[in-house]
Amino acid sequence: MKTILVTGGTGYIGSHVCVQLLDAGYHVVIADNLINSKREVVDYIAQMTGKTPDFYQTDLLDADGLRAIFRAHPIDGVIHFAGLKAVGESVEQPLRYYTNNLTSTLNLLAVMQEAGCTVIVFSSSATVYGENNAVPFHEGMPVSATNPYGYTKVVQERMLTDIAAAQPELSVLLLRYFNPVGAHPSGLIGENPNGIPNNLMPYVAKVATGELPHVNVFGNDYDTPDGTGVRDYIHVCDLARGHVLGLQYAFGRTGTDIVNLGTGHGSSVLELIHAFSQACGHDLPYVIAPRRAGDIAECWADTKKAKEVLGFTTQVTLADMCRDSWNFICHQREQAH
Ligand code: NAD
Ligand code: UFG
């Protein structure tokens, strides 16, 4: 049984991946400082899988804390989710974002090297395709960024690639996620950000509960079928399955590889609002607002490589994503009362 360190494992995507790793027979060790997640998630993971992951409330900026984890467990591979991810916040607090995201990854790589751990799967993002590529985005396209968060991904990809080139025993897999949404069908884990969400799906969910009055549709004058922005929404459970396949792939090779995780299909803002209205059973009000600075018209994945090298294709629809998101929100509201 292989032991996998999941950094950021109590977070939104990491928690879904932990569930699938445990179901697939891996031993899971989580390191998370809980800056954007809760300790209870470990109990939910245990409830869903019947297996309890080892949990360390550790900040990856603390290299000695990381060392202690590698001393306590024979870590065979790492999936590295830990990081700050809010685009707007990264513009306001670039020093914090560069420090947290880059130093964490450098510490992790140094401690992995000391411990002789050679496999790392990294959470990258479609944001690295920047503004100047044409859809569908494929892995060979040039990368760039429009904000500090995006640059942390570009730079981390580069750091990992350079370090793997110099350490031929290393296996690095860069997974570029498109727009992860949805929740585990149990309703126990999902995404419910505090305050006013920046991303569309959690925002729409708060309109569905009545916490927010309407969705602001950021622009209806893009060159897209209905004028609103088009994105490749991928169910977080499909995304998690991609990680289990990615990890198996990374164990069988060395060097760096890059794989997109998306559906290969774009949906517009209005399509998502309509799909969510169906899921929650009532029409959701929206108003057309100005474009949001930095947004591109369309973003969806070329999925050929994921299919070829990982055997990965997605299984669920936008309707399933909305249903599971809504189920999670309803479950959380029941718990709160
Ligand atoms: P999340 O915030 O839910 O999870 C990240 C976790 O990392 C949190 O639990 C947080 O507490 C932890 N963390 C942050 N800094 C840490 C540190 N210094 N030490 C230890 N733990 C730390 O975010 P998510 O949506 O699950 O994203 C996971 C990864 O995927 C991130 O790297 C993110 O940039 C990337 N990603 C996310 C999306 C998305 O839309 N959700 C898209 C592309 C890429
Ligand atoms: N949108 C609205 N109203 C809102 C929020 C979003 O109309 O209240 C629109 C946006 O303009 C865009 C689409 O909905 O057309 C999706 O926006 P999101 O904020 O949900 O997602 P983005 O594609 O802008 O960005 C997300 C993450 C990035 C990540 C990227 C690709 O926030 O960090 O997906 O993975 F890099």
Side-chain angles (χ1 to χ4, degrees):
M1 187 201 286
K2 285 196 166 72
T3 299
I4 308 302
L5 173 65
V6 182
T7 76
T10 43
Y12 171 47
I13 303 170
S15 58
H16 290 81
V17 171
C18 287
V19 168
Q20 294 201 19
L21 287 173
L22 290 162
D23 283 344
Y26 290 97
H27 181 69
V28 171
V29 178
I30 296 175
D32 198 302
N33 65 359
L34 301 181
I35 190 93
N36 199 34
S37 56
K38 294 200 169 69
R39 173 71 178 76
E40 298 88 270
V41 168
V42 179
D43 303 328
Y44 296 141
I45 293 171
Q47 197 179 322
M48 281 183 267
T49 62
K51 297 168 195 166
T52 306
D54 288 298
F55 175 74
Y56 293 86
Q57 184 172 350
T58 300
D59 195 317
L60 268 65
L61 298 178
D62 169 17
D64 285 337
L66 263 179
R67 267 186 202 101
I69 297 175
F70 277 82
R71 272 200 298 271
H73 301 273
I75 306 289
D76 296 293
V78 177
I79 308 185
H80 180 33
F81 293 101
L84 299 173
K85 63 163 184 177
V87 173
E89 195 178 64
S90 80
V91 175
E92 286 153 23
Q93 304 173 24
L95 179 59
R96 179 170 170 239
Y97 267 67
Y98 284 116
T99 304
N100 189 74
N101 292 1
L102 302 189
T103 307
S104 290
T105 302
L106 290 170
N107 283 345
L108 179 61
L109 287 163
V111 174
M112 282 176 66
Q113 189 182 24
E114 288 167 19
C117 178
T118 58
V119 174
I120 179 164
V121 175
F122 174 66
S123 298
S124 191
S125 166
T127 195
V128 302
Y129 290 111
E131 297 177 299
N132 300 320
N133 290 306
V135 284
F137 296 148
H138 70 75
E139 292 84 348
M141 287 174 160
V143 297
S144 63
T146 55
N147 56 71
Y149 165 72
Y151 277 111
T152 70
K153 291 297 179 197
V154 171
V155 173
Q156 286 175 98
E157 284 199 354
R158 184 58 192 255
M159 283 172 8
L160 283 154
T161 305
D162 289 347
I163 292 166
Q167 291 180 35
E169 69 284 4
L170 263 192
S171 174
V172 169
L173 180 63
L174 309 175
L175 295 178
R176 292 181 179 159
Y177 315 153
F178 282 68
N179 289 57
V181 295
H184 192 272
S186 65
L188 289 173
I189 54 174
E191 186 181 32
N192 191 8
N194 290 330
I196 298 182
N198 297 306
N199 296 119
L200 181 62
M201 180 77 103
Y203 198 104
V204 170
K206 283 198 192 290
V207 174
T209 60
E211 288 164 80
L212 293 169
H214 57 255
V215 185
N216 294 299
V217 175
F218 296 147
N220 67 348
D221 56 355
Y222 285 105
D223 185 14
T224 60
D226 66 16
T228 67
V230 168
R231 295 291 183 275
D232 186 342
Y233 298 98
I234 175 169
H235 195 295
V236 66
C237 292
D238 269 339
L239 188 73
R241 199 163 37 77
H243 285 73
V244 178
L245 293 169
L247 190 65
Q248 284 161 2
Y249 174 67
F251 272 118
R253 64 187 307 281
T254 55
T256 302
D257 210 351
I258 307 174
V259 178
N260 284 339
L261 292 179
T263 66
H265 172 80
S267 303
S268 73
V269 175
L270 294 182
E271 281 170 341
L272 188 144
I273 294 172
H274 291 138
F276 210 100
S277 300
Q278 297 275 311
C280 72
H282 59 276
D283 282 345
L284 298 175
Y286 62 85
V287 300
I288 306 299
R291 288 184 180 192
R292 183 172 66 179
D295 274 353
I296 55 175
E298 313 180 280
C299 172
W300 72 84
D302 183 324
T303 56
K304 275 199 280 305
K305 191 167 175 190
K307 193 169 180 187
E308 268 166 31
V309 304
L310 305 185
F312 175 75
T313 50
T314 55
Q315 293 175 344
V316 306
T317 63
L318 188 63
D320 299 317
M321 302 179 208
C322 295
R323 180 202 59 215
D324 290 340
S325 258
W326 182 234
N327 178 51
F328 170 68
I329 299 292
C330 294
H331 194 268
Q332 284 224 313
R333 282 158 64 91
E334 275 164 30
Q335 299 285 97
H337 290 125

Short mmCIF file of all heavy atoms in Angstrom, two decimals, residues 85-87 124-128 149 177-180 197-203 215-219 222 228-231 233 269 292 295-297 299, ligand 2:
data_model
loop_
_atom_site.label_atom_id
_atom_site.label_comp_id
_atom_site.label_asym_id
_atom_site.label_seq_id
_atom_site.Cartn_x
_atom_site.Cartn_y
_atom_site.Cartn_z
N LYS A 85 -5.65 30.93 -3.45
CA LYS A 85 -6.16 30.82 -4.82
C LYS A 85 -7.10 31.93 -5.28
O LYS A 85 -7.67 31.83 -6.36
CB LYS A 85 -6.89 29.47 -4.97
CG LYS A 85 -8.10 29.36 -4.06
CD LYS A 85 -9.05 28.26 -4.45
CE LYS A 85 -10.27 28.26 -3.58
NZ LYS A 85 -11.28 27.28 -3.95
N ALA A 86 -7.28 32.98 -4.47
CA ALA A 86 -8.25 34.01 -4.87
C ALA A 86 -7.56 35.08 -5.72
O ALA A 86 -6.65 35.77 -5.25
CB ALA A 86 -8.89 34.63 -3.64
N VAL A 87 -8.02 35.20 -6.97
CA VAL A 87 -7.36 36.11 -7.92
C VAL A 87 -7.34 37.55 -7.40
O VAL A 87 -6.29 38.19 -7.36
CB VAL A 87 -8.09 36.03 -9.29
CG1 VAL A 87 -7.55 37.09 -10.24
CG2 VAL A 87 -7.94 34.64 -9.89
N SER A 124 -2.06 22.70 -10.99
CA SER A 124 -1.94 23.93 -11.75
C SER A 124 -3.32 24.33 -12.28
O SER A 124 -4.34 23.76 -11.85
CB SER A 124 -0.90 23.80 -12.86
OG SER A 124 -0.64 25.09 -13.38
N SER A 125 -3.34 25.28 -13.18
CA SER A 125 -4.62 25.88 -13.53
C SER A 125 -4.63 26.29 -14.99
O SER A 125 -3.59 26.67 -15.56
CB SER A 125 -4.82 27.13 -12.66
OG SER A 125 -5.86 27.92 -13.16
N ALA A 126 -5.81 26.29 -15.57
CA ALA A 126 -5.97 26.79 -16.94
C ALA A 126 -5.64 28.27 -17.02
O ALA A 126 -5.47 28.80 -18.12
CB ALA A 126 -7.40 26.56 -17.40
N THR A 127 -5.53 28.93 -15.88
CA THR A 127 -5.17 30.34 -15.88
C THR A 127 -3.81 30.56 -16.57
O THR A 127 -3.56 31.64 -17.11
CB THR A 127 -5.16 30.90 -14.43
OG1 THR A 127 -5.16 32.31 -14.48
CG2 THR A 127 -3.97 30.45 -13.62
N VAL A 128 -2.95 29.52 -16.60
CA VAL A 128 -1.61 29.69 -17.21
C VAL A 128 -1.69 29.83 -18.74
O VAL A 128 -0.70 30.17 -19.37
CB VAL A 128 -0.62 28.56 -16.84
CG1 VAL A 128 -0.44 28.45 -15.33
CG2 VAL A 128 -1.01 27.22 -17.44
N TYR A 149 -1.76 35.62 -8.66
CA TYR A 149 -2.10 34.20 -8.46
C TYR A 149 -1.66 33.38 -9.68
O TYR A 149 -1.01 32.34 -9.55
CB TYR A 149 -3.62 34.04 -8.23
CG TYR A 149 -4.07 32.60 -8.38
CD1 TYR A 149 -3.76 31.66 -7.41
CD2 TYR A 149 -4.79 32.18 -9.51
CE1 TYR A 149 -4.15 30.32 -7.56
CE2 TYR A 149 -5.18 30.86 -9.66
CZ TYR A 149 -4.86 29.94 -8.68
OH TYR A 149 -5.24 28.62 -8.85
N TYR A 177 -6.15 22.40 -14.11
CA TYR A 177 -7.61 22.28 -13.94
C TYR A 177 -8.31 23.40 -14.68
O TYR A 177 -7.89 24.55 -14.62
CB TYR A 177 -8.03 22.40 -12.48
CG TYR A 177 -7.23 21.64 -11.47
CD1 TYR A 177 -7.17 22.10 -10.15
CD2 TYR A 177 -6.57 20.47 -11.79
CE1 TYR A 177 -6.45 21.41 -9.20
CE2 TYR A 177 -5.85 19.78 -10.84
CZ TYR A 177 -5.78 20.25 -9.54
OH TYR A 177 -5.07 19.59 -8.59
N PHE A 178 -9.46 23.08 -15.24
CA PHE A 178 -10.31 24.12 -15.81
C PHE A 178 -11.22 24.63 -14.67
O PHE A 178 -10.69 25.08 -13.67
CB PHE A 178 -10.97 23.62 -17.10
CG PHE A 178 -9.92 23.71 -18.21
CD1 PHE A 178 -8.81 22.87 -18.20
CD2 PHE A 178 -9.98 24.71 -19.16
CE1 PHE A 178 -7.78 23.03 -19.13
CE2 PHE A 178 -8.97 24.87 -20.10
CZ PHE A 178 -7.86 24.02 -20.08
N ASN A 179 -12.52 24.60 -14.73
CA ASN A 179 -13.29 25.23 -13.64
C ASN A 179 -13.96 24.16 -12.77
O ASN A 179 -15.07 23.69 -13.10
CB ASN A 179 -14.33 26.18 -14.23
CG ASN A 179 -13.70 27.43 -14.81
OD1 ASN A 179 -12.83 27.34 -15.68
ND2 ASN A 179 -14.09 28.58 -14.32
N PRO A 180 -13.33 23.79 -11.66
CA PRO A 180 -13.91 22.75 -10.80
C PRO A 180 -15.16 23.27 -10.09
O PRO A 180 -15.14 24.36 -9.52
CB PRO A 180 -12.80 22.47 -9.78
CG PRO A 180 -11.57 23.14 -10.30
CD PRO A 180 -12.03 24.27 -11.15
N PRO A 197 -18.92 35.17 -2.71
CA PRO A 197 -18.02 34.39 -3.56
C PRO A 197 -17.56 35.18 -4.79
O PRO A 197 -18.29 36.02 -5.31
CB PRO A 197 -18.88 33.20 -4.00
CG PRO A 197 -20.07 33.20 -3.14
CD PRO A 197 -20.26 34.60 -2.65
N ASN A 198 -16.36 34.86 -5.26
CA ASN A 198 -15.85 35.45 -6.50
C ASN A 198 -16.25 34.61 -7.70
O ASN A 198 -16.43 35.13 -8.80
CB ASN A 198 -14.32 35.50 -6.47
CG ASN A 198 -13.82 36.40 -5.37
OD1 ASN A 198 -14.21 37.56 -5.31
ND2 ASN A 198 -13.00 35.86 -4.48
N ASN A 199 -16.32 33.30 -7.51
CA ASN A 199 -16.55 32.40 -8.64
C ASN A 199 -18.05 32.20 -8.88
O ASN A 199 -18.87 32.33 -7.97
CB ASN A 199 -15.87 31.05 -8.39
CG ASN A 199 -14.36 31.20 -8.32
OD1 ASN A 199 -13.75 30.89 -7.30
ND2 ASN A 199 -13.76 31.72 -9.37
N LEU A 200 -18.36 31.88 -10.13
CA LEU A 200 -19.76 31.88 -10.55
C LEU A 200 -20.63 30.87 -9.79
O LEU A 200 -21.68 31.24 -9.26
CB LEU A 200 -19.84 31.62 -12.07
CG LEU A 200 -21.24 31.63 -12.64
CD1 LEU A 200 -21.90 33.00 -12.46
CD2 LEU A 200 -21.22 31.24 -14.12
N MET A 201 -20.21 29.59 -9.78
CA MET A 201 -21.10 28.57 -9.20
C MET A 201 -21.43 28.83 -7.73
O MET A 201 -22.62 28.83 -7.35
CB MET A 201 -20.47 27.18 -9.38
CG MET A 201 -21.30 26.05 -8.84
SD MET A 201 -22.70 25.63 -9.91
CE MET A 201 -22.11 24.16 -10.71
N PRO A 202 -20.44 29.12 -6.86
CA PRO A 202 -20.81 29.42 -5.47
C PRO A 202 -21.66 30.68 -5.34
O PRO A 202 -22.51 30.77 -4.44
CB PRO A 202 -19.47 29.58 -4.74
CG PRO A 202 -18.39 29.35 -5.72
CD PRO A 202 -18.98 29.00 -7.05
N TYR A 203 -21.47 31.63 -6.25
CA TYR A 203 -22.30 32.85 -6.22
C TYR A 203 -23.75 32.49 -6.56
O TYR A 203 -24.70 32.90 -5.86
CB TYR A 203 -21.76 33.89 -7.22
CG TYR A 203 -22.25 35.29 -6.96
CD1 TYR A 203 -21.42 36.24 -6.37
CD2 TYR A 203 -23.58 35.67 -7.28
CE1 TYR A 203 -21.88 37.52 -6.11
CE2 TYR A 203 -24.04 36.94 -7.01
CZ TYR A 203 -23.19 37.86 -6.43
OH TYR A 203 -23.65 39.13 -6.16
N VAL A 215 -27.78 37.20 -9.59
CA VAL A 215 -26.44 36.97 -10.16
C VAL A 215 -26.10 38.18 -11.03
O VAL A 215 -26.94 38.65 -11.80
CB VAL A 215 -26.43 35.70 -11.04
CG1 VAL A 215 -25.00 35.40 -11.52
CG2 VAL A 215 -27.02 34.50 -10.31
N ASN A 216 -24.88 38.68 -10.88
CA ASN A 216 -24.39 39.69 -11.82
C ASN A 216 -23.69 38.95 -12.95
O ASN A 216 -22.70 38.25 -12.71
CB ASN A 216 -23.38 40.62 -11.14
CG ASN A 216 -24.05 41.44 -10.05
OD1 ASN A 216 -24.95 42.21 -10.33
ND2 ASN A 216 -23.62 41.23 -8.82
N VAL A 217 -24.22 39.09 -14.16
CA VAL A 217 -23.59 38.43 -15.32
C VAL A 217 -22.57 39.42 -15.88
O VAL A 217 -22.94 40.49 -16.40
CB VAL A 217 -24.66 38.07 -16.38
CG1 VAL A 217 -24.00 37.49 -17.62
CG2 VAL A 217 -25.67 37.10 -15.79
N PHE A 218 -21.28 39.06 -15.77
CA PHE A 218 -20.22 40.00 -16.13
C PHE A 218 -20.04 40.07 -17.65
O PHE A 218 -19.13 39.47 -18.20
CB PHE A 218 -18.91 39.62 -15.45
CG PHE A 218 -18.93 39.71 -13.94
CD1 PHE A 218 -18.18 38.83 -13.17
CD2 PHE A 218 -19.69 40.68 -13.28
CE1 PHE A 218 -18.19 38.91 -11.79
CE2 PHE A 218 -19.70 40.77 -11.90
CZ PHE A 218 -18.95 39.87 -11.14
N GLY A 219 -20.91 40.79 -18.30
CA GLY A 219 -20.79 41.03 -19.74
C GLY A 219 -21.64 40.09 -20.57
O GLY A 219 -21.65 38.88 -20.32
N TYR A 222 -19.62 39.45 -25.28
CA TYR A 222 -18.46 38.69 -25.75
C TYR A 222 -18.81 38.01 -27.07
O TYR A 222 -20.00 37.80 -27.38
CB TYR A 222 -18.06 37.62 -24.74
CG TYR A 222 -17.34 38.16 -23.52
CD1 TYR A 222 -17.99 38.25 -22.29
CD2 TYR A 222 -16.01 38.57 -23.60
CE1 TYR A 222 -17.33 38.73 -21.16
CE2 TYR A 222 -15.35 39.06 -22.48
CZ TYR A 222 -16.01 39.14 -21.27
OH TYR A 222 -15.36 39.63 -20.17
N THR A 228 -22.24 35.76 -23.31
CA THR A 228 -21.67 35.68 -21.96
C THR A 228 -20.44 34.75 -21.97
O THR A 228 -20.27 33.95 -22.90
CB THR A 228 -22.71 35.21 -20.92
OG1 THR A 228 -23.08 33.85 -21.18
CG2 THR A 228 -23.95 36.09 -20.98
N GLY A 229 -19.63 34.85 -20.95
CA GLY A 229 -18.36 34.11 -20.88
C GLY A 229 -18.58 32.60 -20.88
O GLY A 229 -19.54 32.10 -20.28
N VAL A 230 -17.70 31.90 -21.56
CA VAL A 230 -17.82 30.45 -21.68
C VAL A 230 -16.64 29.79 -20.95
O VAL A 230 -15.49 30.17 -21.14
CB VAL A 230 -17.85 30.04 -23.17
CG1 VAL A 230 -17.68 28.53 -23.33
CG2 VAL A 230 -19.15 30.50 -23.81
N ARG A 231 -16.97 28.81 -20.08
CA ARG A 231 -15.94 28.10 -19.30
C ARG A 231 -16.19 26.60 -19.35
O ARG A 231 -17.31 26.15 -19.57
CB ARG A 231 -15.99 28.54 -17.83
CG ARG A 231 -15.64 30.00 -17.60
CD ARG A 231 -14.17 30.30 -17.88
NE ARG A 231 -13.81 31.67 -17.60
CZ ARG A 231 -13.96 32.70 -18.46
NH1 ARG A 231 -14.49 32.49 -19.66
NH2 ARG A 231 -13.59 33.91 -18.12
N TYR A 233 -16.60 23.80 -17.14
CA TYR A 233 -16.88 23.39 -15.76
C TYR A 233 -16.70 21.88 -15.66
O TYR A 233 -17.25 21.13 -16.47
CB TYR A 233 -18.31 23.81 -15.37
CG TYR A 233 -18.48 25.31 -15.43
CD1 TYR A 233 -19.05 25.94 -16.54
CD2 TYR A 233 -17.99 26.11 -14.39
CE1 TYR A 233 -19.15 27.32 -16.61
CE2 TYR A 233 -18.08 27.50 -14.46
CZ TYR A 233 -18.66 28.10 -15.57
OH TYR A 233 -18.75 29.46 -15.63
N VAL A 269 -22.31 31.55 -19.05
CA VAL A 269 -22.83 31.97 -17.74
C VAL A 269 -24.34 31.73 -17.69
O VAL A 269 -24.87 31.19 -16.70
CB VAL A 269 -22.51 33.46 -17.48
CG1 VAL A 269 -23.14 33.94 -16.18
CG2 VAL A 269 -21.00 33.70 -17.46
N ARG A 292 -15.96 41.88 -16.26
CA ARG A 292 -15.01 41.90 -15.13
C ARG A 292 -13.59 42.02 -15.70
O ARG A 292 -13.24 41.29 -16.64
CB ARG A 292 -15.17 40.62 -14.32
CG ARG A 292 -14.31 40.52 -13.09
CD ARG A 292 -14.66 39.31 -12.23
NE ARG A 292 -14.38 38.04 -12.89
CZ ARG A 292 -14.58 36.85 -12.34
NH1 ARG A 292 -15.09 36.75 -11.13
NH2 ARG A 292 -14.30 35.74 -13.00
N ASP A 295 -11.07 39.14 -17.42
CA ASP A 295 -11.77 37.94 -17.92
C ASP A 295 -11.53 37.75 -19.41
O ASP A 295 -11.47 38.72 -20.17
CB ASP A 295 -13.28 38.08 -17.69
CG ASP A 295 -13.69 37.60 -16.31
OD1 ASP A 295 -12.85 37.04 -15.59
OD2 ASP A 295 -14.88 37.79 -15.96
N ILE A 296 -11.45 36.49 -19.83
CA ILE A 296 -11.40 36.19 -21.26
C ILE A 296 -12.78 35.68 -21.68
O ILE A 296 -13.60 35.30 -20.84
CB ILE A 296 -10.30 35.16 -21.60
CG1 ILE A 296 -10.44 33.88 -20.78
CG2 ILE A 296 -8.92 35.78 -21.40
CD1 ILE A 296 -9.44 32.78 -21.16
N ALA A 297 -13.03 35.69 -23.00
CA ALA A 297 -14.36 35.30 -23.49
C ALA A 297 -14.60 33.80 -23.29
O ALA A 297 -15.65 33.40 -22.77
CB ALA A 297 -14.48 35.66 -24.98
N CYS A 299 -12.90 29.73 -22.47
CA CYS A 299 -11.82 28.91 -21.93
C CYS A 299 -12.32 27.48 -21.84
O CYS A 299 -13.25 27.20 -21.09
CB CYS A 299 -11.45 29.43 -20.54
SG CYS A 299 -10.30 28.41 -19.63
N1 UFG B 2 -19.04 35.37 -13.71
C1 UFG B 2 -20.18 36.15 -13.68
N2 UFG B 2 -20.65 36.56 -12.47
C2 UFG B 2 -20.05 36.23 -11.29
C3 UFG B 2 -18.88 35.45 -11.34
C4 UFG B 2 -18.39 35.04 -12.56
O1 UFG B 2 -20.75 36.46 -14.72
O2 UFG B 2 -20.52 36.65 -10.24
C5 UFG B 2 -18.56 34.87 -15.02
C6 UFG B 2 -17.14 35.28 -15.36
O3 UFG B 2 -17.13 36.51 -16.01
C7 UFG B 2 -16.70 34.11 -16.23
C8 UFG B 2 -17.46 32.91 -15.65
O4 UFG B 2 -18.55 33.47 -14.93
O5 UFG B 2 -17.15 34.31 -17.55
C9 UFG B 2 -16.62 32.07 -14.71
O6 UFG B 2 -16.03 32.89 -13.71
P1 UFG B 2 -15.33 32.26 -12.42
O7 UFG B 2 -14.89 33.40 -11.56
O8 UFG B 2 -16.20 31.23 -11.80
O9 UFG B 2 -14.08 31.48 -13.04
P2 UFG B 2 -12.86 31.99 -13.92
O10 UFG B 2 -12.88 31.18 -15.18
O11 UFG B 2 -12.83 33.45 -14.04
O12 UFG B 2 -11.60 31.59 -13.04
C10 UFG B 2 -11.52 30.34 -12.31
C11 UFG B 2 -10.62 30.55 -11.09
C12 UFG B 2 -9.22 30.83 -11.54
C13 UFG B 2 -8.76 29.72 -12.42
C14 UFG B 2 -9.68 29.56 -13.60
C15 UFG B 2 -9.27 28.39 -14.47
O13 UFG B 2 -11.10 31.64 -10.29
O14 UFG B 2 -8.37 30.91 -10.43
O15 UFG B 2 -11.01 29.34 -13.14
O16 UFG B 2 -9.13 27.25 -13.69
F1 UFG B 2 -7.51 30.01 -12.86
#
